[in-house]
Amino acid sequence: MIQALRGMKDIIAPENETFTHILKTAGDIAERYGYEYIETPLLEETALFKRSVGESSDIVGKEMYQFIDKGGHDVCLRPEGTAGVVRMFIQNKLDKKGGIHRMYYHGPMFRYERPQKGRLREFHQFGCESFGEESVYEDFNIILMIKDIFDALGIGYRIKINSLGCPECMPGYREHLVSHLHDISDGLCEDCLRRIDTNPIRVLDCKNENCQALLENAPLITEKLCETCDADFSTLVRLLEAHNLPFELDPKLVRGLDYYTRTAFEFVSDEIGAQSAIAGGGRYNRLVEFLGGKPTPAVGFALGIERILELVKLPRKGREGVYLGVMVPEAVDIIVDLAHKMRQNEKVFAEYNKKSLKAHLKAADRLGVRKCAIIGEDELKTGEIWVKDLEKKEEQRIAVDRFA
Ligand code: HAM
């Protein structure tokens, strides 16, 4: 039998309901923050991700679903949403229009990672991207929006924040860090040794305990920020404190994507195991220009839907809708008309095959409907329908034209 690919999942009952609830909740809140819904393609040129997410990142280096299409183009299933949105922003000349553009999206992302609990090869994100606003108040608003979404979904979280500096302070810090990494290179793991030259700040979040012990005295970017980055970061901290958000400073939070400048953050949950990040994002002021657009400040985030699915507990749904069935084939036309009329206002399940009353009641119960309405031989003669309210357990006969 053909199975779904490793690390890829069907979304079916009972999870499907929570899945759509999360997307609807997040979408409604994003709209209240002035974001509008967009879609971008699942497939993009590989070069887009190489340039934005970064050649030295694990995502591009190891995890891309990359292939040559029938036209000979080097393409790739999107591993994340930001790069495609930035490409769309520039291609549609929104960068030239100026002003502020806020957009949200959701859909599948693909990363060829080693599957484990909370880590899939096809997973879903809900994301927001805000273009044109330089102020750190926008970063704060984004964090506040995620808080609103998680509060509405009834789930707990901790927030980790860091600043990754800007072209003014980052190069000096990087030099400092590289020199320190060379000093401690003897005990570092192979991945870290490779990263000293390709992407030194990624060494800071190595998961190897030995490396972390060696990194104890590593210089921290937050101590080397330029005046503007430092002032922005202090404002963000002040705003988070003033609004009682549960945050911690994590100077080793570097994120797995290379496009970030200044604010970087993650929301983590302590209830879902090792893959604990339920949302991540930050500012990426250089990416629009880097991909060929007019320099435009930007900030955004994405939520991992599958990880959040585990945390959301929906209240038990009450019975809803109507089940229509027949015990004599001559009544089917009446049911078809009734169903069509009633669907203008409510959910209707129509069963066209003649069945016993017991079988109809069993099917109606399984579907979780409120009412089971059946036409048998007697009802056909009198122009009535037999109706049972499955919640109140009450039965009655009603004239068909009064029922719909
Ligand atoms: P990211 O941190 O790579 O950021 O992913 C965002 C979220 O997607 C993570 O916090 C996690 O919940 C979920 N996620 C990532 N990988 C997997 C996986 N293999 N299986 C299940 N869930 C996963 C981004 O993708 C950025 N584009 C976010 C952003 C938007 N930054 C600025 N704008």
Side-chain angles (χ1 to χ4, degrees), residues 22-41:
I22 295 169
L23 291 182
K24 171 137 189 11
T25 305
D28 286 351
I29 292 174
E31 300 224 348
R32 270 185 255 151
Y33 274 79
Y35 285 73
E36 65 178 50
Y37 183 65
I38 54 157
E39 292 257 0
T40 64

Side-chain angles (χ1 to χ4, degrees), residues 323 325-326 351 353 355-364 374:
Y323 174 99
V326 295
E351 168 60 69
N353 295 304
K355 280 187 181 155
S356 71
L357 184 62
K358 201 172 154 203
H360 279 310
L361 281 167
K362 201 168 154 195
I374 308 295

Side-chain angles (χ1 to χ4, degrees), residues 116 120 127 150 164 199 207 262 295 319 334 356 368 372 383 387:
Q116 63 178 83
L120 292 157
F150 287 159
L164 295 174
N199 198 348
K207 301 288 174 279
R262 296 196 181 150
R319 292 186 165 276
I334 305 175
S356 71
C372 175
V387 184

Side-chain angles (χ1 to χ4, degrees), residues 59 80-82 105 111 113 118-120 123 125 128-129 255 257 259-260 277-282 284 300-304 307:
I59 295 180
E80 59 102 49
T82 311
Y105 53 89
R111 295 183 192 175
E113 297 194 74
R119 195 201 272 157
L120 292 157
F123 58 97
Q125 286 186 346
C128 284
E129 314 293 348
R255 312 266 304 123
L257 309 101
Y259 46 64
Y260 293 109
I278 49 177
Y284 49 97
F301 74 92
L303 314 176
R307 293 187 190 167

Side-chain angles (χ1 to χ4, degrees), residues 60-355:
V60 170
K62 303 181 190 165
E63 299 167 2
M64 300 251 270
Y65 275 89
Q66 182 183 354
F67 60 96
I68 305 297
D69 75 6
K70 289 192 167 64
H73 304 105
D74 188 350
V75 296
C76 164
L77 282 171
R78 63 182 184 192
E80 59 102 49
T82 311
V85 176
V86 174
R87 194 256 325 124
M88 175 284 291
F89 182 75
I90 301 167
Q91 189 174 336
N92 289 281
K93 302 192 170 52
L94 301 177
D95 54 333
K96 307 276 183 326
K97 273 194 184 160
I100 295 174
H101 302 263
R102 298 190 177 97
M103 309 162 205
Y104 75 95
Y105 53 89
H106 51 77
M109 308 291 158
F110 302 84
R111 295 183 192 175
Y112 198 83
E113 297 194 74
R114 197 169 49 77
Q116 63 178 83
K117 184 173 166 357
R119 195 201 272 157
L120 292 157
R121 287 183 172 167
E122 182 188 31
F123 58 97
H124 294 76
Q125 286 186 346
F126 173 95
C128 284
E129 314 293 348
S130 163
F131 296 95
E133 181 54 85
E134 173 100 56
S135 165
V136 70
Y137 279 84
E138 189 74 352
D139 310 28
F140 172 66
N141 251 322
I142 286 244
I143 293 176
L144 204 58
M145 171 166 39
I146 306 172
K147 169 201 150 47
D148 282 354
I149 294 171
F150 287 159
D151 287 354
L153 293 172
I155 64 181
Y157 52 84
R158 286 185 292 122
I159 308 169
K160 295 181 180 184
I161 61 161
N162 192 18
S163 174
L164 295 174
C166 70
E168 204 173 302
C169 44
M170 194 42 149
Y173 167 70
R174 191 186 295 253
E175 236 173 73
H176 215 70
L177 178 66
V178 168
S179 131
H180 180 81
L181 294 176
H182 280 301
D183 289 348
I184 58 165
S185 64
D186 265 359
L188 291 175
C189 73
E190 256 178 54
D191 270 348
C192 286
L193 288 178
R194 188 171 38 82
R195 283 183 178 138
I196 294 180
D197 297 318
T198 56
N199 198 348
I201 63 160
R202 281 304 308 279
V203 173
L204 293 174
D205 83 343
C206 177
K207 301 288 174 279
N208 185 314
E209 280 177 21
N210 209 17
C211 296
Q212 275 310 324
L214 287 165
L215 287 164
E216 199 166 345
N217 298 318
L220 301 174
I221 175 75
T222 37
E223 291 160 0
K224 309 276 175 202
L225 294 176
C226 64
E227 224 173 282
T228 322
C229 289
D230 196 41
D232 267 9
F233 196 50
S234 305
T235 305
L236 182 63
V237 167
R238 178 176 63 71
L239 290 166
L240 293 172
E241 276 169 355
H243 288 78
N244 291 323
L245 275 105
F247 78 97
E248 45 201 83
L249 302 180
D250 182 354
K252 289 190 178 154
L253 176 75
V254 297
R255 312 266 304 123
L257 309 101
D258 287 354
Y259 46 64
Y260 293 109
T261 49
R262 296 196 181 150
T263 309
F265 60 82
E266 268 177 15
F267 280 61
V268 293
S269 163
D270 295 324
E271 294 167 50
I272 50 170
Q275 302 305 314
S276 60
I278 49 177
R283 190 163 267 285
Y284 49 97
N285 283 350
R286 301 214 297 155
L287 188 56
V288 176
E289 184 182 10
F290 199 60
L291 291 177
K294 194 175 148 202
T296 309
V299 55
F301 74 92
L303 314 176
I305 306 296
E306 280 82 357
R307 293 187 190 167
I308 296 169
L309 261 181
E310 288 200 40
L311 297 164
V312 176
K313 303 275 170 284
L314 285 188
R316 241 181 67 87
K317 241 177 51 177
R319 292 186 165 276
E320 58 162 355
V322 180
Y323 174 99
L324 299 174
V326 295
M327 290 166 69
V328 281
E330 297 78 7
V332 173
D333 284 9
I334 305 175
I335 293 291
V336 170
D337 283 350
L338 264 182
H340 183 240
K341 261 191 227 155
M342 293 175 76
R343 280 194 188 111
Q344 312 302 318
N345 305 309
E346 62 189 319
K347 197 192 268 189
V348 178
F349 297 90
E351 168 60 69
Y352 308 116
N353 295 304
K354 144 187 154 177
K355 280 187 181 155

